Amino acid sequence: MTLRANVNLRLGTLQLALGLVAAPGEVLALLGPNGAGKTTLLRALAGLQPIEAGGIELDGVTLDSPLAGAFVPAEDRSVGVLFQDYLLFPHLSVVENVAFGLRSRGADQPLQTARLWLQVMDLDAYAAAKPAQLSGGQAQRVALARALAPAPRLLLLDEPLAALDASTKVAIRRELKKHLSLFEGICLLVTHDPVDAAALADAVLVIEDGRVVQQGKLPQITARPRSRYVADLVGVNLWRGQAVDGQVSVGVASISAADARDGDVFALVHPRAVSLYVERPDGSPRNVWRGRATSLDFAGDRVRVRVDGPVPLVAEITSAGLAELGLVGGEEVWVSFKASEVDVYSA
């Protein structure tokens, strides 16, 4: 009772080539930048995009296998889909929208089952309403009820919270988590938001350029990012280079790192570990160089300063520290951080 997928296909400039395994009761988040192939993967699993090689198997049933000449159409797959913009039928009432998937699968008493789902979603008072009369949160719940009503074995959620405003998103995320905890099938959730992934998913697949670049529990991924996308998402400095005798070569420069093993490695430094000075600093830090503060990003009483230099990086300082340095952007500064602050791990 598992989803096993080895998906290979080309769509425009995207070459999707990845595999995944998910078990019943598991919520798997697909995290990645725009154009990485996340939605294309969902479309392939749903039967809306045939694959060119590999195979898709759900509960031991082959849904798509070009080699075997097998392909199960979307309407015959036990798959529920919630698209980013919900795609509710504007001419149908709320209850008719929820009943649509049940009717297409030949279910008995589809309207009765649909009304039960509206009760579950606390939407029974809106049964006769049209989608245009709903709030964003209500429309999301109707779309989720429509996807869940036929009791799919696989539920695909494509950015289900992206269309919600900030004030609604927290409450709907909490409600979605409750419904997913009761879902006995497999759920794949596409998101750009690590907060959504942390709140809703059991595990994460990071997809870039049609490939899985990292997978596992979110804390494991964020603690040891393996791509620039994940590093930027987490907000840390990350470089890949060759380590020799405690020095990590990064382009034409090098970073001193305590306990760095020789070989191909990633080097990670938290922006809060980076100090900035107007004059060259004294003391023990072994990583010191001159750069130029090119941009300032304010977040509360903290300021993230992007510094270009031999090794471009981001430093995070306080607003008071910024005032003391007199930075407005464009000034030359000295960068400093200790070798012991560099986390080095195998690439």
Side-chain angles (χ1 to χ4, degrees):
M1 306 295 283
T2 302
L3 170 67
R4 300 181 186 277
N6 182 10
V7 176
N8 288 266
L9 65 89
R10 177 177 290 278
L11 189 64
T13 59
L14 173 68
Q15 179 66 53
L16 193 63
L18 57 81
L20 65 88
V21 177
E26 182 178 11
V27 179
L28 182 62
L30 308 178
L31 201 61
N34 286 331
K38 306 182 300 298
T39 296
T40 301
L41 173 61
L42 292 199
R43 288 178 58 82
L45 295 174
L48 302 173
Q49 176 67 54
I51 65 175
E52 297 170 0
I56 299 172
E57 181 182 289
L58 179 62
D59 292 348
V61 177
T62 298
L63 301 181
D64 196 345
S65 174
L67 186 62
F71 181 80
V72 176
E75 62 271 19
D76 294 329
R77 299 189 183 193
S78 183
V79 178
V81 185
L82 194 162
F83 294 101
Q84 181 176 337
D85 51 6
Y86 310 145
L87 294 181
L88 297 177
F89 300 111
H91 63 291
L92 297 181
S93 66
V94 164
V95 70
E96 290 286 357
N97 263 280
V98 177
F100 181 83
L102 292 161
R103 278 205 172 99
S104 66
R105 287 169 169 79
D108 293 332
Q109 300 180 315
L111 284 176
Q112 182 177 337
T113 302
R115 290 192 177 93
L116 290 175
W117 273 102
L118 290 181
Q119 291 176 15
V120 170
M121 297 292 177
D122 196 25
L123 288 169
D124 42 321
Y126 298 89
K130 295 293 178 64
Q133 299 172 279
L134 304 176
S135 68
Q138 290 166 342
Q140 194 254 25
R141 281 183 283 162
V142 173
L144 181 61
R146 184 176 64 182
L148 290 171
R153 294 297 301 141
L154 175 61
L155 179 64
L156 307 175
L157 308 181
D158 190 4
E159 296 278 7
L161 303 176
L164 303 176
D165 58 61
S167 61
T168 306
K169 190 172 184 178
V170 174
I172 298 299
R173 184 194 292 126
R174 188 183 308 117
E175 192 168 310
L176 179 58
K177 181 176 178 64
K178 178 185 72 175
H179 291 302
L180 292 181
S181 69
L182 300 174
F183 180 58
E184 296 180 352
I186 301 160
C187 178
L188 266 60
L189 163 73
V190 165
T191 181
H192 286 88
D193 191 341
V195 176
D196 291 346
L200 300 172
D202 303 302
V204 174
L205 250 65
V206 180
I207 300 175
E208 297 183 48
D209 297 323
R211 306 290 196 279
V212 174
V213 298
Q214 207 167 351
Q215 64 185 79
K217 301 291 186 180
L218 188 62
Q220 298 169 337
I221 289 173
T222 56
R224 291 285 177 92
R226 305 187 69 82
S227 73
R228 171 58 51 196
Y229 167 77
V230 178
D232 289 344
L233 203 65
V234 178
V236 297
N237 296 297
L238 182 71
W239 306 278
R240 184 168 181 169
Q242 291 293 319
V244 179
D245 295 331
Q247 295 288 321
V248 181
S249 297
V250 180
V252 297
S254 67
I255 297 172
S256 296
D259 303 322
R261 294 185 178 181
D262 291 358
D264 188 14
V265 299
F266 287 106
L268 180 151
V269 175
H270 196 284
R272 294 194 183 194
V274 180
S275 299
L276 300 180
Y277 302 88
V278 175
E279 304 290 340
R280 184 182 179 92
D282 298 324
S284 60
R286 294 169 59 189
N287 294 293
V288 179
W289 60 77
R290 198 170 189 176
R292 185 175 297 277
T294 57
S295 67
L296 310 175
D297 293 318
F298 295 83
D301 64 344
R302 309 291 298 186
V303 185
R304 292 173 68 87
V305 183
R306 183 168 296 278
V307 181
D308 285 346
V311 181
L313 51 65
V314 173
E316 186 175 316
I317 60 177
T318 64
S319 297
L322 180 72
E324 185 177 336
L325 290 167
L327 298 181
V328 295
E331 298 86 355
E332 288 191 345
V333 293
W334 286 90
V335 169
S336 171
F337 56 90
K338 297 179 180 180
S340 59
E341 295 285 358
V342 185
D343 184 11
V344 178
Y345 48 96
S346 298

